[in-house]
């Protein structure tokens, strides 16, 4: 086999040897090392067009394409996702564990000759601002042109990545094999800085820079550092008086991070500016006793359904060029993408599978757009900064039709971490399985935390206690439903009213009301100017409901117990104090 294509990797012996080892194992016919150039990108696109792997979209979608995935490869597969270590206790009850040597032997044998007749794309990528405490480099070997193309959008690919690989790097392999749904493996070897995924080309399984590296491996590495690795969006808020605030928000998959990150202030809030740092993943480090957040990613992999000019104007601007749409429907007349929520369904439509006769939604509920972050019109200038954005506020939240108020504030760091740890939310189409079932998803990290979450809770508390000014922690819920089955809170741009209250709390400008679960706004503290929400309904979603909270505390208890002795004592204490406040109310 001619390995000249990887000669460039010889500057790091380990990098070269690993790449060589896996190429010799997988036996691809061709080797392409990507440098992230436009020529490479265009070449990949033309090959994919020729092989009918992409459909070119019509204007106004410039240089944009539709990709239809295999019908069994449309979302993350958590059952097949493993953290492989020596000690099972290290990964805890929320992860699938496998012995690292056994799993590696098994997967290496599956990889034998798996790329025969194919091309392997070698994708060096850099996460985070360059030459910064956030920089982390990796290299992905994939036989999927779709994966290679997507990586070129969501991460910084090429020489800038290689420059960061002189010492450390994460090595990843994605072999799509025959996409056999019964034999998918999404395996993480944090102690070996290694990722191996087989039989999937789906984003969260196969774009290894994203969930696999930037969340699971990075969280494993961060546990021993002054660093938090979170499934959080992050924005800079500039108030009319010019003051700037940093906010991060953790919401489970398909539950509002991208939309909150892209918030466009409504008419009544024209003086406010919301600048985006990240929409899905935020890395946080401590500098001068201050928490600072940055985005490891370079592009969006966002949910398409529900996105339109009213809900997310800035996203609609961003996705009009250089975008790959996955599993959206297609208007056959204009060759433009369509999804539920984008107005009236076109007459001449093909669903996500290319069919004209269908009964289910036309777009897959987990249809997504992949777009460069630099096209986002309101990107924060701090996105590029090696220092990150100073953070003042954490939001935790999820989809809950009942009980959980629009917003409430934690009394302390420990109480805030408990609120995060107690997060339960409806499951969504982002992960294979039933949708709409309430599941524990602490800090929206249950599918992404690469180690024992009992330790993770402790780690978050320790980091937050090191700050000179503690971040304020809030729980939010945009998804309360009224008797008519409709959302009570208008959400999207109007969520700025809740952000505003959080900032008012930060500055001590409003008092709120103390309830057993935390501080909720007095009804007049939520600015309702220009908003048409029934006052009774608003009162309802700001109120504390004793019976429901007793049930909630009961429901979360077995989950906390599943961590056994490892769950920090202070967290149990916080739980019982909350319980006492609720029961004696
Ligand atoms: P991942 O990329 O899967 O991690 O998801 P995400 O948290 O970024 O979710 P996203 O913002 O893409 O939202 C998912 C779905 O929720 C979309 O269909 C949105 O339209 C909808 N959504 C987001 N924010 C709101 C809101 O404030 N109110 C309502 N009703 N729906 C919302
Ligand atoms: C999620 O599921 O939380 C996503 C999409 O952001 S994926 O990258 O596929 O995981
Ligand atoms: Mn996500």
């Amino acid at each position: 086999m001619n390995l000249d294509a990887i000669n460039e990797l010889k500057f790091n012996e380990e990098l070269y040897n690993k790449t060589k080892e896996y190429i010799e194992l997988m036996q691809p016919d061709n080797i392409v090392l990507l440098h992230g150039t436009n020529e490479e990108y265009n070449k990949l696109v033309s090959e994919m067009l020729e092989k009918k792997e992409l459909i070119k979209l019509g204007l106004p979608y410039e240089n944009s394409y539709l990709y239809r995935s295999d019908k069994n490869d449309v979302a993350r597969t958590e059952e097949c996702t493993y953290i492989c270590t020596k000690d099972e206790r290290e990964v805890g009850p929320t992860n699938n564990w496998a012995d690292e040597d056994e799993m590696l032997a098994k997967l290496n044998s599956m990889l034998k000759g798996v790329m025969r007749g194919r091309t392997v794309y070698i994708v060096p990528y850099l996460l985070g601002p360059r030459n910064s405490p956030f920089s982390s480099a990796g290299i992905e070997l994939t036989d999927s042109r779709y994966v290679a193309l997507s990586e070129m959008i969501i991460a910084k690919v090429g020489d800038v990545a290689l420059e960061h690989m002189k010492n450390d790097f994460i090595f990843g392999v994605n072999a799509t094999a025959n996409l056999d749904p019964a034999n998918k493996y999404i395996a993480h070897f944090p102690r070996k800085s290694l990722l191996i995924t087989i039989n999937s080309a789906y984003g969260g399984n196969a774009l290894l820079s994203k969930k696999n590296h930037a969340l699971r491996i990075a969280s494993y590495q961060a546990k021993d550092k002054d660093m938090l690795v979170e499934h959080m969006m992050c924005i800079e808020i500039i108030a009319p008086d010019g003051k700037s605030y940093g906010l991060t928000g953790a919401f489970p998959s398909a539950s509002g991070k991208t939309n909150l990150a892209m918030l466009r202030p409504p008419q009544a809030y024209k003086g406010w500016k919301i600048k985006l740092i990240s929409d899905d993943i935020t890395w946080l480090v401590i500098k001068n006793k201050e928490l600072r957040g940055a985005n490891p990613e370079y592009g969006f992999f966002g949910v398409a359904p529900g996105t339109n000019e009213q809900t997310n104007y800035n996203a609609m601007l961003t996705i009009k060029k250089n975008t790959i749409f996955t599993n959206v429907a297609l208007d056959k007349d204009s060759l433009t993408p369509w999804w539920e929520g984008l107005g009236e369904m076109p007459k001449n439509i093909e669903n996500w599978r290319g069919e004209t006769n269908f009964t289910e939604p036309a777009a897959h509920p987990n249809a997504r757009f992949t777009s460069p972050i630099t096209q986002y019109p309101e990107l924060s200038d701090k996105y590029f900064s090696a220092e990150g954005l100073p953070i003042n506020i954490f939001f935790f939240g999820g989809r809950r039709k009942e009980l959980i108020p629009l917003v409430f504030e934690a009394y302390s760091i420990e109480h805030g971490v408990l609120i995060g740890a107690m997060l339960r939310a409806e499951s969504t189409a982002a992960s294979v399985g039933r949708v709409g079932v309430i599941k524990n998803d602490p800090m929206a990290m249950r599918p992404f935390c690469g180690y024992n979450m009992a330790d993770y809770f402790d780690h978050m508390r320790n980091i937050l206690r090191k700050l000179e000014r503690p971040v304020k922690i809030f729980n939010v819920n945009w998804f309360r439903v009224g008797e008519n089955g409709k959302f009570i809170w208008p959400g999207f741009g109007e969520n700025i009213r809740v952000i505003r209250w959080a900032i008012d709390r930060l500055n001590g400008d409003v008092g709120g009301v103390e309830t057993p679960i935390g501080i909720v706004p007095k009804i007049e503290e939520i600015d309702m100017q220009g908003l048409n929400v029934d006052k009774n309904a608003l009162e309802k979603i700001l109120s504390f409901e004793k019976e429901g909270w007793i049930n909630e505390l009961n429901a979360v208890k077995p989950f906390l117990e599943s961590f056994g002795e490892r769950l920090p004592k202070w967290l149990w204490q916080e739980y019982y104090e909350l319980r006492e406040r609720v029961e004696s109310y």
Side-chain angles (χ1 to χ4, degrees), residues 67 286 411 563:
Y67 174 80
I286 299 179
Y411 288 118
F563 295 94

Side-chain angles (χ1 to χ4, degrees), residues 351-403:
N351 75 354
W352 65 278
R353 299 190 55 190
E355 301 157 340
T356 47
N357 264 323
F358 52 88
T359 47
E360 306 268 287
H364 189 279
N366 192 39
R368 291 193 178 246
F369 54 81
T370 310
S371 294
I373 202 166
T374 47
Q375 288 178 192
Y376 185 72
E378 301 288 344
L379 191 62
S380 167
D381 52 12
K382 300 190 181 65
Y383 168 83
F384 300 98
S385 151
E387 313 259 281
L389 174 76
I391 302 300
N392 315 93
I393 294 169
F394 273 14
F395 276 5
F396 293 125
R399 290 175 180 269
R400 289 294 295 268
K401 291 191 172 74
E402 296 171 339
L403 186 69

Side-chain angles (χ1 to χ4, degrees), residues 41-177:
Y41 186 93
N42 296 338
K43 186 154 184 271
L44 270 171
V45 166
S46 11
E47 284 174 21
M48 291 180 77
L49 285 171
E50 197 177 302
K51 296 197 158 68
K52 306 242 177 315
E53 292 167 355
L54 289 181
I55 295 171
K56 186 163 172 52
L57 296 171
L59 292 175
Y61 292 87
E62 209 182 305
N63 189 31
S64 296
Y65 303 90
L66 165 61
Y67 174 80
R68 288 179 178 147
S69 80
D70 183 272
K71 70 176 194 316
N72 294 313
D73 197 31
V74 295
R76 281 183 296 100
T77 47
E78 292 173 13
E79 290 99 281
C80 329
T81 302
Y82 293 86
I83 309 292
C84 311
T85 60
K86 268 281 138 250
D87 181 355
E88 181 167 5
R89 288 166 301 186
E90 201 184 358
V91 310
T94 58
N95 283 305
N96 299 317
W97 175 81
D99 176 81
E100 57 188 12
D101 297 324
E102 283 172 29
M103 183 60 104
L104 187 56
K106 179 189 170 115
L107 298 184
N108 281 350
S109 83
M110 283 178 79
L111 290 175
K112 251 183 221 142
V114 76
M115 291 191 184
R116 258 182 223 137
R118 304 185 187 188
T119 298
V120 66
Y121 296 90
I122 302 177
V123 193
Y125 60 83
L126 174 68
L127 298 178
R130 53 193 70 183
N131 300 319
S132 77
F134 302 100
S135 309
S136 178
I139 191 158
E140 173 165 3
L141 276 52
T142 179
D143 58 359
S144 161
R145 278 177 282 268
Y146 167 70
V147 168
L149 196 64
S150 304
E151 277 293 354
M152 288 177 83
I153 299 174
I154 66 163
K156 296 177 210 77
V157 168
D159 293 343
V160 62
L162 293 175
E163 280 159 26
H164 284 77
M165 273 190 232
K166 297 208 172 80
N167 306 312
D168 298 337
F169 59 92
I170 301 297
F171 188 85
V173 172
N174 167 241
T176 52

Side-chain angles (χ1 to χ4, degrees), residues 211 231 253 257 280 448:
K211 299 299 161 97
H231 190 207
S253 301
K257 290 181 299 300
D280 191 47
F448 308 116

Side-chain angles (χ1 to χ4, degrees), residues 348-585:
N348 190 4
I349 190 166
E350 270 180 12
N351 75 354
W352 65 278
R353 299 190 55 190
E355 301 157 340
T356 47
N357 264 323
F358 52 88
T359 47
E360 306 268 287
H364 189 279
N366 192 39
R368 291 193 178 246
F369 54 81
T370 310
S371 294
I373 202 166
T374 47
Q375 288 178 192
Y376 185 72
E378 301 288 344
L379 191 62
S380 167
D381 52 12
K382 300 190 181 65
Y383 168 83
F384 300 98
S385 151
E387 313 259 281
L389 174 76
I391 302 300
N392 315 93
I393 294 169
F394 273 14
F395 276 5
F396 293 125
R399 290 175 180 269
R400 289 294 295 268
K401 291 191 172 74
E402 296 171 339
L403 186 69
I404 313 297
L406 176 65
V407 55
F408 63 95
E409 177 193 328
Y411 288 118
S412 64
I413 288 172
E414 285 73 16
H415 180 214
V417 176
L418 175 70
I419 286 174
M422 281 182 57
L423 190 65
R424 297 188 331 128
E426 285 173 38
S427 55
T428 67
S431 158
V432 170
R434 273 183 62 204
V435 167
V437 189
I438 296 184
K439 287 187 172 169
N440 291 102
D441 194 352
M443 287 80 170
M445 277 290 276
R446 184 196 43 79
F448 308 116
C449 183
Y451 65 106
N452 197 315
M453 288 197 92
D455 302 351
Y456 165 87
F457 300 144
D458 217 28
H459 182 59
M460 183 176 281
R461 178 207 193 209
N462 288 336
I463 296 287
L464 296 183
R465 281 165 61 111
K466 287 183 185 175
L467 307 177
E468 190 155 329
R469 273 194 70 188
V471 293
K472 266 199 185 290
I473 302 177
F474 299 82
N475 193 110
V476 299
N477 178 20
W478 319 138
F479 299 96
R480 287 287 288 270
V481 166
E483 271 150 26
N484 59 5
K486 295 206 170 119
F487 292 119
I488 294 172
W489 180 251
F492 302 103
E494 306 299 346
N495 291 334
I496 196 167
R497 297 169 194 267
V498 174
I499 294 177
R500 165 103 187 255
W501 184 75
I503 290 174
D504 285 347
R505 284 291 304 153
L506 195 71
N507 291 331
D509 293 340
V510 292
V513 192
E514 288 192 9
T515 79
I517 55 168
I519 299 170
V520 300
K522 291 193 188 105
I523 188 150
E524 65 274 16
E525 289 172 358
I526 295 283
D527 169 17
M528 297 299 286
Q529 194 200 139
L531 198 62
N532 185 18
V533 176
D534 178 65
K535 188 155 178 278
N536 291 332
L538 185 66
E539 228 150 46
K540 188 173 159 65
I541 63 174
L542 291 179
S543 66
F544 161 70
E545 298 165 30
K546 178 172 173 174
E547 289 310 311
W549 274 97
I550 292 177
N551 295 337
E552 187 70 11
L553 283 156
N554 287 336
V556 80
K557 196 162 177 243
F559 176 73
L560 296 179
E561 281 165 350
S562 73
F563 295 94
E565 288 296 306
R566 202 142 171 163
L567 198 83
K569 298 277 172 300
W570 60 263
L571 198 67
W572 271 129
Q573 190 187 326
E574 206 55 51
Y575 172 88
Y576 282 109
E577 281 174 16
L578 170 61
R579 214 183 155 104
E580 169 61 27
R581 292 198 299 271
V582 169
E583 282 172 348
S584 64
Y585 182 76

